[in-house]
DNA sequence: AGCCTCCCACTTTTT
DNA sequence: GTGGGAGGCT
């Protein structure tokens, strides 16, 4: 029952859709447009940071939709769930109609979960499988180690073992493969035993870990291609960070039509530690010989000075091919590299500098515009107290996730048990919460006994308390009594769930409530928390989230897969327990790092972001601080791949739009001794070449500098009046002369005489001439126009035209005044006293705009007003998307909802696949030779050096013996069996996939020279050590 | 045996 | 800041 032929005719685009197409293409440059409309079957868009990759990919999805492709026939894999949310929002702005809700979009893991939920039964997967997060996995492993009393490890190695196992699984090495690859039984034998038992334990508990989600989905789609027979197009963002399993999944998703678009940047691959496989780029070209590569080279994000520095860093990777980035913005302010005495003062400096910048620019920046990016979550701890000191609102995106919080996690575990009492992992964790006199001995005993008897803990304790068996585990009288109560609670809540189901309720919150009441959770939490902590609010927050989740589900914003050919066997289930299961899966895969409630608290000045660099991937901010640039942090002392650390720094630097601050403490406190310890500037920044490109302290802010900021950010500059006002109020000198000190009586900027202070401003505003006129009507002429096309909707300056004429008048009038001012004070006076009084109307307008701003962002530009409107619409649901995604296509009117032909309920037939995205009017019918805009091009494909483990694996196991076999062969087997690659692969096979067992005789292929000859964008750099 | 408290060692990055 | 281990008390 292969689904049949191409549907007779593709849906003709209707008029409204043609309109959409213009909207979608608006504001894109030539190459971007070509990429969006390309009818290439397999397209790779490889480009540097800030070149609009994500934007292009988003537009391409929108374009497909606008051309009538059904959203449920499109798979889009993003790197985080947050990113997919943002992408959906942007697509919605471009084409509207709610189509985006029906896209199959999410991380690989969440997409895989959807498929497994729906079709897992086809491969024998129990229907309500749970997802084991990292903590669950470590617990299982820790228990295995303890139970077996292994000699080479103890419980504290669990984390390590877990990540080793994960890496193996991500490389598709099953236990058997692993054992086979170990020459003889030795100390690693214990490891393979753990691996083996781990897999079995997960299975017994009906759990899948993150890697299993992908691997099982692979199994599913291989055995049942019909599940994805409807898929017409597969698109992947951040492809450089996909692993081998994800690559195969991509191929399988696309197996029906082989239409794939990926975007990525080898220089930004920073997840090698998670088995990301940069070789996927080349594998893809080999598996799909019809791959077309496009390069985008213009950077729209950062000031050129920032790009110059960043490039200087990434180019230190000698194996990296030269590639071009063309700045579209002016030089801007030099990045700052400042050394401070300690992490504490580093943080203090950052905060002072933030305050100084805001004040001296007339609050041109809100806290939303600022990010502090750190290598590791721990570094944020130095910064947080300083933020609190100065009352700067911030959100921390690092470290513990919301759902992992001590007070939140047990609630989720209880719910897991309620859904599936045989989930022994979860049960073991909560059976003694709150305290039930079942200590570690009892619980360990129960776990061991259940394991021995081959039953779940739940079954064991039920039988035990009933007297059907006698506990071997040491359970006290009291313990046994409370065990009874525990069982009763679980049973009661399960009954409650059943009756809620019968009553057709959909909200799980009341169920959670009554669970928590029954176990006295609130008292428990409040008992254990330290004074001053308010942990219970997080539990309340969780309940609210549950309600919101259920409402969304009920409202049809669910993440159900569309029905497809394999749907003969759909399992009908009652809804509320489905809701609960979904909620838990969602929690396991979620990336939410903070209590979402923090979001609502502040308003007008925005919220600053403190984030790990990893979490900042794909985002951008006007101002970026990267503290902790010392050897040991960047590159991290525990990292194994220095090149990856360098790329990490590169990613951090390229997040910045106008101002980049790098810093490091010259002394660290030794953890153990508390002694001071010298630290050295990160080697990547110590290069001589970088010196002339950076300044040792923050910039002096002049009108010219402010103007530059405005141009680069595409934002209106504050009035001089405003600048003077905030400057005066802050009473800070216009220099980064910060002096480290905690003494409140010491001014961190030293002592300034009134004269000195004024001189700063005299200098500062000396170059003001023309400021006003430049910043009113002539902005577009001073801003470089990047778009060939004159239809640039992305010309940011036209997004705030409303008051322009009025303001211009005001500025012109002012400029005569300003000519002569001597200081901040005198300027203020002049403004207040004279000329402006003639401009009462204008001031009223300005005031009006300011107060408008108060309701949303405080920034009184037109642009930020429209931004705040946008934020209002989605503020409830999530951490605010950063600016990267915020400003796309804001003005795109929402198209009237097209009546959707398909119904989305029941088990209707899959939607017919339309015939590819039809090009209604491709800009030009030229062949895509854009391999092009960059100087060097990829070589003919069959000359590409194979350095890819994946293919080597193919070769090595022939015939495949493993549980995991690659799919790529079936997609286009012949393509990589070409003799040219064959021989190379044979030569490389000795190294295949294993760094541990490289024979000394097999000299690793030094491919440096050859790599250099390859074109840039296909390749990051050479073989890993 | 549980449970509490104190102390020590350790703290990369994450779906 | 926290998790695991040791020791003392119930
Ligand atoms: N043609 C264009 N004209 C003006 N601005 C653009 C254009 N294309 C993209 N931009 C802007 O450039 C910025 C970066 O875009 P985007 O995030 O899509 O880049 P990216 O290549 O995905 O970056 P990264 O590699 O860092 O994830 C965004 O602010 C976007 O709005």
């Amino acid at each position: 029952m292969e689904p049949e032929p191409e549907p007779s005719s593709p849906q003709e685009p209707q008029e409204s859709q043609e309109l959409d197409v213009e909207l979608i293409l608006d504001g894109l440059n030539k190459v971007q447009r070509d990429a969006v409309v390309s009818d290439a079957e397999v397209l790779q868009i490889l480009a540097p940071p800030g070149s609009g990759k994500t934007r292009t990919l988003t537009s391409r999805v929108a374009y497909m939709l606008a051309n009538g492709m059904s959203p449920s026939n499109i798979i889009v894999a993003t790197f985080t769930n947050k990113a997919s949310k943002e992408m959906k929002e942007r697509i919605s702005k471009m084409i509207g109609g709610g189509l985006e809700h029906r896209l199959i979009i999410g991380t690989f893991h969440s997409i895989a979960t959807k498929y497994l939920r729906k079709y897992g039964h086809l491969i024998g997967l129990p229907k309500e499988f749970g997802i084991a997060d990292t903590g669950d996995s470590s617990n299982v492993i820790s228990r295995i180690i303890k139970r077996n009393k292994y000699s080479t490890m103890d419980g504290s190695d669990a984390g390590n073992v877990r990540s080793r196992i994960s890496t193996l699984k991500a490389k598709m090495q099953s236990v058997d493969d692993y054992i086979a690859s170990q020459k003889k039984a030795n100390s690693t034998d214990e490891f393979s035993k753990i691996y083996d038992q781990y897999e079995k334990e997960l299975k017994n508990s009906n759990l899948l870990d993150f890697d299993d989600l992908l691997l099982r989905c692979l199994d599913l789609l291989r055995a049942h291609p019909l599940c994805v027979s409807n898929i017409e197009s597969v698109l992947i963002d951040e492809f450089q960070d996909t692993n081998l399993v994800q690559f195969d999944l991509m191929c399988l998703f696309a197996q029906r039509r082989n239409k794939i678009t990926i975007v990525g940047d080898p220089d930004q691959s920073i997840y090698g530690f998670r088995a990301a496989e940069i070789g996927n780029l080349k594998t893809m070209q080999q598996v799909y010989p019809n791959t077309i590569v496009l390069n985008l080279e213009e950077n729209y994000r950062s000031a050129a000075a920032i790009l110059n520095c960043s490039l200087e860093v990434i180019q230190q990777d000698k194996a990296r091919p030269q590639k071009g980035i063309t700045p579209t913005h002016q030089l801007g302010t030099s990045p700052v590299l400042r050394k401070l005495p300690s992490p504490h003062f580093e943080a203090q400096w950052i905060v002072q500098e933030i305050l100084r910048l805001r004040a001296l620019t007339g609050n041109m920046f809100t806290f939303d515009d600022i990010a502090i990016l750190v290598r590791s979550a721990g570094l944020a701890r130095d910064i947080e107290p300083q933020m609190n000191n100065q009352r700067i609102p911030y959100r921390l995106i690092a470290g513990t996730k919301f759902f992992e919080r001590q007070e939140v996690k047990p609630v989720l575990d209880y719910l897991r048990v309620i859904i599936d009492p045989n989930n022994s992992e979860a049960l073991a964790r909560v059976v003694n919460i709150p305290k039930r006199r079942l200590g570690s001995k009892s619980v360990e005993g129960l776990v061991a006994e259940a394991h021995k008897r081959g039953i779940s803990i739940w079954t064991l304790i039920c039988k035990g308390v009933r007297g059907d068996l006698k506990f071997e585990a040491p359970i006290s009288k009291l313990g046994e009594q409370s065990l009874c109560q525990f069982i009763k609670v679980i049973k009661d809540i399960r009954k409650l769930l059943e009756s809620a189901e019968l009553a057709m309720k959909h909200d799980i919150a009341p169920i959670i409530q009554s669970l928590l009441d029954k176990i006295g959770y609130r008292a428990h939490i409040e008992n254990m928390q330290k004074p001053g902590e308010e942990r219970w609010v997080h539990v309340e927050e969780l309940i609210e989230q549950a309600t919101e989740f259920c409402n969304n589900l009920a409202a049809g914003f669910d993440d159900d897969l569309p029905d497809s050919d394999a749907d003969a066997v759909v399992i009908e289930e009652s809804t509320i327990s489905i809701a609960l299961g979904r909620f838990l899966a969602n929690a396991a895969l979620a990336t939410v790092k903070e209590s979402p409630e923090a979001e609502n608290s502040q308003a007008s000045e925005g919220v600053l972001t403190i984030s790990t660099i990893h979490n900042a991937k794909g985002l951008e901010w006007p101002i970026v601080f990267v503290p902790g640039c010392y050897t040991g942090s960047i590159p991290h002392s525990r990292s194994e791949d220095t090149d990856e650390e360098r790329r990490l720094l590169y990613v951090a630097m390229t997040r910045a739009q106008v101002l980049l601050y790098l810093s490091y403490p010259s002394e660290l406190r030794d953890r153990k001794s508390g002694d001071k310890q010298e630290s050295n500037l990160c080697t990547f920044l110590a290069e001589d070449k970088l010196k002339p490109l950076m300044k040792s302290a923050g910039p002096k802010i002049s009108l010219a500098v402010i103007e530059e900021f405005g141009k680069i950010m595409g934002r209106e500059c504050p009035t001089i009046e405003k600048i003077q006002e905030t400057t005066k109020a802050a009473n800070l000198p216009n220099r980064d002369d910060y002096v480290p000190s905690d003494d409140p009586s010491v001014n961190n900027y030293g002592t300034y005489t009134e004269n000195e202070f004024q001189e700063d401003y005299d200098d500062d505003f000396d170059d003001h001439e023309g400021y006003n006129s430049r910043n009113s009507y002539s902005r577009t002429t001073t801003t470089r126009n990047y778009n060939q096309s004159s239809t640039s909707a992305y010309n940011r300056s036209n997004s705030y035209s409303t008051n322009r004429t009025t303001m211009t008048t005001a500025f012109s009038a002012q400029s005569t005044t300003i000519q002569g001012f001597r200081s901040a004070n005198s300027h203020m006076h002049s403004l207040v006293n004279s000329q402006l009084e003639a401009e009462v109307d204008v001031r009223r307008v300005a005031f009006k705009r300011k107060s408008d701003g108060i309701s949303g962002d405080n920034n009184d530009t037109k642009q930020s007003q429209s931004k705040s409107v946008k934020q209002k619409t989605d503020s409830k649901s999530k951490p605010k998307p950063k600016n990267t995604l915020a400003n796309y296509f804001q003005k795109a009117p929402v198209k009237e909802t097209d009546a959707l032909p398909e119904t989305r309920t029941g088990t209707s037939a899959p939607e017919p696949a339309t015939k590819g995205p039809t090009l209604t009017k491709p800009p030009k019918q030229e062949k895509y030779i854009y391999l092009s805009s960059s100087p060097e091009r990829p070589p003919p494909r069959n000359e590409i050096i194979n350095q890819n483990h994946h293919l080597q694996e193919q070769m090595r196991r022939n015939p495949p013996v493993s549980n995991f076999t690659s799919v790529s062969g079936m997609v286009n087997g012949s393509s990589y069996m070409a003799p040219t690659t064959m021989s190379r692969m044979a030569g490389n096979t000795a190294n295949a996939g294993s760094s541990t067992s490289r024979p000394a005789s097999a000299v690793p292929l030094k491919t440096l020279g050859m790599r250099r000859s390859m074109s840039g964008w296909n390749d990051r750099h050479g073989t890993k050590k």
Side-chain angles (χ1 to χ4, degrees), chain A residues 666-871:
Chain A
S666 56
E667 272 186 345
L668 301 168
R669 242 191 26 250
D670 190 281
R671 270 200 294 276
K672 288 188 175 163
S673 57
D675 292 346
K676 298 199 167 164
Q677 189 191 340
E678 284 276 310
S679 84
N680 299 314
L681 174 60
C682 150
T683 46
F684 310 134
L685 294 171
E687 295 269 319
D688 284 344
K689 278 188 184 168
L690 274 162
K691 278 188 191 136
L693 302 179
M694 302 197 289
K695 293 264 157 59
S696 60
K700 210 173 152 183
I701 306 299
S702 65
L703 290 179
V705 167
I706 292 175
E707 259 183 292
E708 246 175 11
F709 292 166
K711 280 180 200 159
I712 295 171
M713 291 189 290
R715 216 181 261 192
E716 189 171 347
C717 295
T719 62
I720 289 185
E721 177 191 21
K722 174 91 185 184
I723 296 170
Q724 294 302 325
E725 180 191 316
T726 57
T727 298
K728 184 84 194 338
N731 196 29
L732 291 171
N734 189 2
R735 344 172 170 160
D736 172 14
D737 275 351
Y738 165 81
V739 181
S741 170
D742 279 332
D743 184 343
S745 67
V746 173
N747 183 338
N748 288 119
Y749 287 101
T751 45
Y752 280 84
T753 64
E754 176 76 3
N755 269 348
E756 279 175 315
F757 188 84
Q758 292 198 353
E759 272 164 24
D760 272 347
Y761 290 95
D762 290 344
D763 292 352
D764 185 27
F765 292 109
D766 267 356
D767 62 353
H768 67 277
E769 242 173 305
Y771 175 86
N772 299 316
S773 51
R774 278 197 302 279
N775 285 290
S776 49
Y777 39 70
S778 57
R779 157 102 29 88
T780 46
T781 60
T782 54
T783 307
R784 185 172 149 192
N785 190 352
Y786 322 118
N787 290 286
Q788 312 265 11
S789 110
S790 56
T791 58
S792 165
Y794 203 76
N795 187 338
R796 288 144 151 165
S797 54
N798 61 16
S799 60
Y800 36 77
S801 51
T802 319
N803 285 331
R804 180 167 302 155
T805 326
T806 324
M807 295 312 285
T808 302
T809 319
F811 282 143
S812 312
Q814 278 179 27
S815 72
T816 46
T817 313
I818 296 153
Q819 293 267 332
F821 91 90
R822 292 286 305 154
S823 72
N825 284 335
S826 59
H827 178 54
M828 287 295 284
H829 275 263
S830 66
L831 290 182
V832 172
N833 292 339
S834 50
Q835 277 83 352
L836 264 204
E837 282 176 5
E839 305 287 344
V840 170
D841 287 348
V842 173
R843 288 166 66 192
R844 204 169 284 142
V845 170
F847 177 75
K848 168 93 170 42
R849 295 175 66 213
K850 246 177 247 171
S851 50
D852 284 348
I854 288 168
S855 61
D857 283 349
N858 75 329
N859 192 319
D860 48 6
T861 67
K862 197 67 185 171
Q863 170 156 21
S864 77
Q865 282 180 26
S866 58
K867 197 165 131 197
S868 73
V869 167
K870 177 195 177 294
Q871 286 168 354

Side-chain angles (χ1 to χ4, degrees), chain A residues 974-990:
Chain A
S974 60
S975 68
Y976 61 85
M977 289 306 174
T980 41
T981 47
M982 275 291 273
S983 50
R984 286 185 208 269
M985 282 157 63
N988 256 351
T989 307

